[in-house]
Amino acid sequence: MIRGDLVEQSVFVRAEALVRARHIDADTDAGPLVHDPPPDIDPEILKRLRQMYEAGGWVLVESALADVPGDLRWLYESGAVTIDQLGAIHRALGSTSAADLVAAVREEKIRAIPGLDAHVEAAIGAALPTLRAMTPRVPLGRATAIAETVLDRLRTVPGVTWALPVGSLRRGQDMVGDIEIVAATSQPADAIAELLIVPESPRVLHKTERRLYLLIERIQVGVRLPDPENAGAALLYLTGSTAHFEALRARADASGWRLTADGLYDGDGTLRPSPTEDAVYATLGLPCIPPEIREGTEEIALANRGELPTLVARADIRGDLHMHSLWSDGRDPIEAMVQGCVALGYEYMAITDHSPSSAALRNLTLDSVNKQADEIAGLRERYPTIAILHGCEVDILPDGRLDFPDRILERFDIVLASLHDSAGQLPEQLMKRYASAMQHPLVTLITHPTNRLVPHRRGYDLDYDRLFELAVEHRTAVEIDGAPSHLDLDGALARRAIAAGATVAVSSDSHRAEMLGPQMHLGVVTARRGWVESRHVLNARSLEEVRAVIAAKRGAR
Ligand SMILES: [Zn+2]
Ligand SMILES: [Zn+2]
């Protein structure tokens, strides 16, 4: 039997599985005894396993490396450290991620470990940027969904004051490096126990008193459980970005504080408790800066001058103007979408199925538009608390015309226009298609303007500033589409759009009722990365205002 404390203290828990798989019986008193060792077992591994028990500690076995927290594995594979050095660092500092290593290098803690020196520390420091590039990235939608399952459970545990994702996930990057969660609790054992009770027990990569690394759907999820008294410091450091944290650190230095990964130290070197991020920012004379814009560019200077904008929030969103139903490639009937929107508290919604030539598997036809209108009329009577707009997402054809004749388009309450394929055209031709769609008086919104497919396809290579100029000129909104494969416009383009004076719509483009909320969330996060405020957002306005925007352009015909 493996001793419990081995599992407790080892990051390399898979050594235990290795022992089991190899039929090694680790007798607690006499040391490991090998019964019937498989012929392929590496004698070096056996030797190390023996040492592990004899020393009463643990050892990192190279063949178990596949199952250690990813950043440590990448560090080893980058060649910056030997396997023994890696083990020594983990044992001495408890490091489990690149963020820990960055802090350890910065604080010169690695050179102080017996057997290591400043050269190794420098090698690790040099390897860290590449380490980030080596880490496989998970699309934001998938990362959010995986993290939510863990966060939901953590939030039910008594003693957990709050639980939030950190890193690129919290900052809403399109592609997420590590999925990490910080949960403030004075009873970490309860939180760990909760996470380990699941129908099929998750693979545990690492477990200590206040850390747990799991493999969920083949993706690593790290959970840190700091004491509430200083959990804000962990949240701030681990959220990053590195550039933002460095700028905060410089600001702290300038006013006699020292900001580290552990928190804020005053002039006497005493750690000042930071239960929340707000507490750290307040000490530094700043308001709390939204995670989505912590990029280390101008946000701290603006916050310092009290000029940070109030970014759009989910609560500002009054309706969803883009979603699909069974009438095209959606998975749910309109009624389910209506119920979903009612549950989200929207004042209005638009059903916007695809037009006949769209590449979707099923599309609206000329005939079905009337039938769909009848169905919506019936639902309006049954769901009087929400305004149901009958819309469509019409394809922009290769010659720039729209995929429904005007006499049909006129019947819709709102028309969204989109390019779903380039038809092999050059950027100038694509731009012409967009321009002619935007000039059309019935078109209110251009959906997913770059038409990228995260992470598989880059967006169109267009002059987007020109596109946004045209959008302003022709009073057409551009979309921030929250579908995980779109996130289009992304934050950077959304920021250029509003800088040009364009109006944006944040939509779910949901094809299922259950995704209405999650995809709107992703849309809002992406908008926030673009510094978008509610005043820029079409669907943060009242129904009357939205109708007025549509009517104003139509009236200009
Ligand atoms: Zn579309
Ligand atoms: Zn759509």
Side-chain angles (χ1 to χ4, degrees), residues 250-556:
R251 189 179 171 90
D253 281 350
S255 43
W257 293 89
R258 197 165 68 85
L259 181 62
T260 74
D262 304 325
L264 260 179
Y265 292 86
D266 65 19
D268 304 330
T270 310
L271 182 66
R272 179 190 177 107
S274 302
T276 62
E277 286 180 328
D278 297 39
V280 181
Y281 282 109
T283 305
L284 301 178
L286 295 170
C288 191
I289 296 174
E292 295 90 343
I293 61 167
R294 294 182 195 169
E295 296 296 329
T297 53
E298 70 271 56
E299 73 275 9
I300 292 175
L302 285 171
N304 188 43
R305 299 201 299 270
E307 291 171 9
L308 267 192
T310 302
L311 304 182
V312 65
R314 169 62 185 81
D316 297 323
I317 301 296
R318 297 172 73 164
D320 187 345
L321 297 173
H322 183 179
M323 69 190 72
H324 299 269
S325 74
L326 287 176
W327 289 93
S328 66
D329 58 352
R331 296 256 207 92
D332 284 318
I334 298 177
E335 182 162 14
M337 302 305 279
V338 173
Q339 289 167 344
C341 288
V342 168
L344 290 168
Y346 292 151
E347 297 165 31
Y348 53 87
M349 60 182 286
I351 296 290
T352 54
D353 280 308
H354 291 289
S355 61
S357 306
S358 150
L361 286 177
R362 207 170 42 243
N363 292 309
L364 271 182
T365 61
L366 286 171
D367 283 348
S368 57
V369 172
N370 278 339
K371 291 182 199 148
Q372 192 185 35
D374 289 344
E375 182 181 338
I376 288 175
L379 290 167
R380 283 178 182 143
E381 287 180 18
R382 284 160 56 199
Y383 297 91
T385 60
I386 188 164
I388 309 169
L389 304 186
H390 185 198
C392 70
E393 182 182 11
V394 66
D395 267 52
I396 305 167
L397 299 171
D399 63 4
R401 286 180 307 121
L402 300 176
D403 192 23
F404 273 127
D406 285 4
R407 64 184 170 79
I408 299 290
L409 290 176
E410 281 168 353
R411 295 193 210 160
F412 291 107
D413 299 311
I414 185 168
V415 174
L416 284 42
S418 65
L419 287 186
H420 283 114
D421 71 84
S422 65
Q425 293 175 334
L426 295 169
E428 306 86 81
Q429 293 167 297
L430 296 175
M431 187 68 100
K432 277 192 185 143
R433 284 165 81 182
Y434 270 141
S436 66
M438 288 194 285
Q439 280 162 22
H440 197 295
L442 291 168
V443 171
T444 299
L445 173 65
I446 298 293
T447 59
H448 46 72
T450 81
N451 199 29
R452 69 171 177 165
L453 197 60
V454 178
H456 306 291
R457 184 178 70 209
R458 283 167 45 85
Y460 300 137
D461 183 20
L462 302 184
D463 177 354
Y464 284 99
D465 292 320
R466 176 72 191 130
L467 184 78
F468 302 144
E469 267 174 32
L470 287 169
V472 174
E473 184 183 336
H474 299 298
R475 292 191 282 175
T476 308
V478 286
E479 186 181 50
I480 299 170
D481 184 315
S485 57
H486 287 312
L487 304 178
D488 177 8
L489 302 168
D490 68 9
L493 281 174
R495 197 169 179 193
R496 280 158 66 184
I498 57 167
T503 297
V504 297
V506 183
S507 6
S508 73
D509 192 3
S510 183
H511 289 63
R512 282 186 288 160
E514 67 181 41
M515 294 311 289
L516 284 162
Q519 294 188 187
M520 181 59 82
H521 166 79
L522 294 179
V524 170
V525 165
T526 303
R528 289 169 65 84
R529 283 182 64 77
W531 296 62
V532 171
E533 303 165 51
S534 69
R535 66 189 171 95
H536 302 123
V537 179
L538 179 62
N539 51 315
R541 301 183 195 164
S542 69
L543 176 64
E544 290 65 36
E545 289 171 279
V546 173
R547 284 197 194 276
V549 166
I550 298 168
K553 190 175 171 189
R554 289 188 176 197

Side-chain angles (χ1 to χ4, degrees), residues 21-252:
R22 306 280 194 189
H23 310 282
I24 302 166
D25 180 12
D27 188 326
T28 45
D29 295 324
L33 300 172
V34 180
H35 298 301
D36 189 22
D40 61 335
I41 194 160
D42 181 341
E44 185 61 22
I45 292 175
L46 272 184
K47 202 175 106 198
R48 283 168 173 272
L49 284 170
R50 279 184 201 284
Q51 289 167 345
M52 166 167 72
Y53 296 109
E54 280 159 14
W58 56 271
V59 70
L60 174 53
V61 181
E62 183 157 5
S63 58
L65 254 184
D67 289 338
V68 310
D71 286 352
L72 299 190
R73 184 170 74 242
W74 297 120
L75 180 65
Y76 169 70
E77 290 180 356
S78 75
V81 290
T82 66
I83 207 152
D84 291 333
Q85 289 169 336
L86 186 60
I89 292 166
H90 172 70
R91 200 162 37 220
L93 304 177
S95 309
T96 47
S97 74
D100 298 328
L101 294 165
V102 168
V105 169
R106 167 101 202 179
E107 307 287 320
E108 299 185 351
K109 286 180 178 169
I110 289 173
R111 65 181 68 182
I113 299 169
L116 282 83
D117 55 26
H119 294 296
V120 179
E121 192 173 85
I124 293 171
L128 283 172
T130 23
L131 206 63
R132 276 286 146 92
M134 289 166 85
T135 306
R137 302 207 156 245
V138 185
L140 180 65
R142 177 135 191 257
T144 303
I146 290 172
E148 281 302 325
T149 62
V150 177
L151 287 165
D152 284 349
R153 300 183 65 135
L154 282 169
R155 288 169 181 151
T156 65
V157 180
V160 171
T161 14
W162 50 260
L164 287 166
V166 291
S168 48
L169 174 54
R170 183 158 180 243
R171 298 200 314 279
Q173 265 179 217
D174 303 337
M175 296 294 287
V176 170
D178 300 319
I179 301 181
E180 287 228 316
I181 287 167
V182 170
T185 179
S186 48
Q187 288 139 11
D190 294 351
I192 287 179
E194 168 65 27
L195 294 181
L196 294 182
I197 309 166
V198 283
E200 71 277 28
S201 64
R203 279 258 293 279
V204 177
L205 299 182
H206 173 59
K207 181 158 82 72
T208 55
E209 191 195 344
R210 288 188 179 273
R211 283 190 197 190
L212 183 66
Y213 278 71
L214 301 173
L215 211 55
I216 299 175
E217 295 175 24
R218 288 180 291 134
I219 292 175
Q220 174 181 306
V221 180
V223 181
R224 299 184 188 223
L225 303 157
D227 194 85
E229 186 176 85
N230 203 38
L235 181 64
L236 178 68
Y237 175 69
L238 293 168
T239 296
S241 66
T242 308
H244 178 81
F245 192 82
E246 285 304 320
L248 287 180
R249 189 199 299 275
R251 189 179 171 90

